[in-house]
Amino acid sequence: MHSTSPELLATWSDMTGTEPDGAAARPRVPISFELFPPRTDAAAIALGRTIDRLAEVDPAFISVTFGAGGSSRDRSLTVLRYMLEHTSVEPMAHLTCVGSSHAEANRLVREFLDAGITSFLALRGDPPVGAADAEDAIGDLHSAAELVQLIHRVQEEREPFGQSRIPGMPGVTAIRERPRPERVAVAAFPTGHPRSRGSNQDVDVLLAKEVAGANLAITQLFWHADDYLAFVQRARAGGVTIPILPGIMPVTTPGRLARLEQLTGVPAPAELSIDLEIEPDADAQFELGVDYAARLAAEVLAGGAPGLHLYTFNRHEAVLAVLDRLGLANAPAHAGTERNTRER
């Protein structure tokens, strides 16, 4: 079993102000999480408990994925509303271009804004499998940059410029600044987008999203710190200035790791893959996955990452264990048999 480097974690503890006993009063960098909408009533109840546990570490936001189907969209909005009503966490709604006309996308953004959702993750999305014409299947919006522009435009239409009085000057007013969405995030691809012609195009596309109004980027899957750090360096050289959050996935079963490789096309790390395959004990697999994610997180944070975005798979145990290992958890991760489903 590989263990997290004590030297690396000690360096990160110094950066965050962690006390020698491992307790930290508050993270100095933002932590955020991603969830997906539940498919059953039982899953919805479990997800509510997970959200409550994640909220205890005071994340900057929690994003919720958004399916193309109507029922999936309704479930996403239900999860986002739960966070608004029962936690102090900022909810972030995923939006994709797939299958939406301009009018439909406009209506969806308005629906979220009317519900109190002011942060978005704008994604181009993938056309349905087997679509005869992939571009036509996308819809009227052909890029995440166009979706970013739409989000800002809808907000501006909902709340136009207003007038505010100037204190001490009777009868004189000034134009009040128009409100803007809290966060409009976009995706970044450290290992390259599947349809990209090269690393320069990945940077150019991210820059176009920033020019369109994005103020945060969140990376897709990567397994090696150098992939993230080199991408950030190229992005900065290419003119990108927005924060680029590393997306980290603690994977604790060999089956899930294999499926992620199939879904993303990003090769699974041989070290973790072998360790998970040869380890028969579920609790030991959990420790292996958490340890790999913690080491990866510590390396990117030591390299200057502005925070961590953790993909949860709708379970809180592994991501909280990663934060606990880094000294960034305000509440301890709960160990137990529920934390690993022995999925293979």
Side-chain angles (χ1 to χ4, degrees):
M1 179 183 296
H2 297 270
S3 60
T4 308
S5 166
E7 295 80 6
L8 185 58
L9 289 183
T11 299
W12 174 239
S13 295
D14 290 342
M15 293 170 62
T16 59
T18 303
E19 299 298 330
D21 63 358
R26 181 181 175 87
R28 288 187 178 177
V29 293
I31 303 299
S32 55
F33 303 104
E34 179 180 295
L35 303 169
F36 55 84
R39 295 183 176 89
T40 66
D41 291 343
I45 294 172
L47 183 58
R49 291 195 296 266
T50 288
I51 292 172
D52 294 341
R53 290 301 316 281
L54 296 177
E56 292 175 4
V57 300
D58 193 22
F61 62 88
I62 296 178
S63 70
V64 181
T65 63
F66 198 59
S71 61
S72 178
R73 290 174 174 177
D74 291 342
R75 289 194 296 268
S76 296
L77 187 54
T78 298
V79 174
L80 292 162
R81 281 177 169 151
Y82 178 89
M83 282 189 273
L84 278 176
E85 296 169 3
H86 299 281
T87 77
S88 60
V89 177
E90 177 189 324
M92 175 182 283
H94 288 217
L95 288 175
T96 71
C97 300
V98 174
S100 292
S101 65
H102 281 291
E104 290 169 336
N106 188 301
R107 179 184 59 79
L108 284 171
V109 174
R110 285 180 180 275
E111 184 177 3
F112 280 124
L113 290 170
D114 290 343
I117 311 300
T118 58
S119 290
F120 299 90
L121 176 57
L123 304 165
R124 179 181 186 269
D126 297 317
V129 176
D133 190 322
E135 288 303 313
D136 288 345
I138 287 293
D140 290 346
L141 301 169
H142 293 280
S143 70
E146 291 181 46
L147 184 53
V148 169
Q149 291 175 322
L150 176 70
I151 292 168
H152 285 294
R153 186 164 62 249
V154 171
Q155 174 74 333
E156 290 168 359
E157 291 171 353
R158 287 179 75 255
E159 301 186 51
F161 286 115
Q163 302 271 329
S164 61
R165 295 178 180 179
I166 299 178
M169 301 179 69
V172 180
T173 61
I175 294 177
R176 188 169 58 242
E177 183 177 356
R178 184 155 49 193
R180 295 176 67 82
E182 187 76 20
R183 286 187 178 90
V184 180
V186 292
F189 298 85
T191 61
H193 190 281
R195 291 185 295 272
S196 174
R197 293 188 297 271
S199 58
N200 289 338
Q201 184 183 13
D202 291 318
V203 171
D204 290 343
V205 170
L206 181 56
L207 181 59
K209 296 174 186 177
E210 178 177 349
V211 171
N215 52 28
L216 176 69
I218 302 173
T219 75
Q220 297 296 296
L221 177 69
F222 68 93
W223 295 110
H224 305 286
D226 287 346
D227 290 333
Y228 167 79
L229 297 173
F231 175 79
V232 172
Q233 187 176 33
R234 292 194 303 273
R236 298 296 178 234
V240 176
T241 63
I242 59 176
I244 302 175
L245 278 179
I248 304 289
M249 292 186 176
V251 181
T252 60
T253 67
R256 177 161 284 160
L257 186 62
R259 279 197 297 277
L260 280 173
E261 181 172 350
Q262 293 174 348
L263 289 171
T264 65
V266 179
E271 169 192 343
L272 179 60
S273 181
I274 293 171
D275 285 350
L276 289 175
E277 284 290 351
I278 65 176
E279 176 54 65
D281 181 71
D283 283 344
Q285 288 179 346
F286 178 90
E287 293 300 326
L288 286 167
V290 166
D291 187 73
Y292 191 95
R295 283 189 288 133
L296 180 58
E299 288 172 11
V300 296
L301 289 170
L308 293 174
H309 185 70
L310 298 174
Y311 297 97
T312 68
F313 301 110
N314 281 16
R315 301 294 293 263
H316 59 271
E317 297 86 3
V319 294
L320 292 184
V322 169
L323 295 181
D324 191 52
R325 197 158 298 187
L326 293 167
L328 295 177
N330 294 342
H334 284 251
T337 55
E338 67 169 349
R339 68 186 181 184
N340 199 320
T341 60
R342 292 183 181 266
E343 182 179 9
R344 293 188 182 274

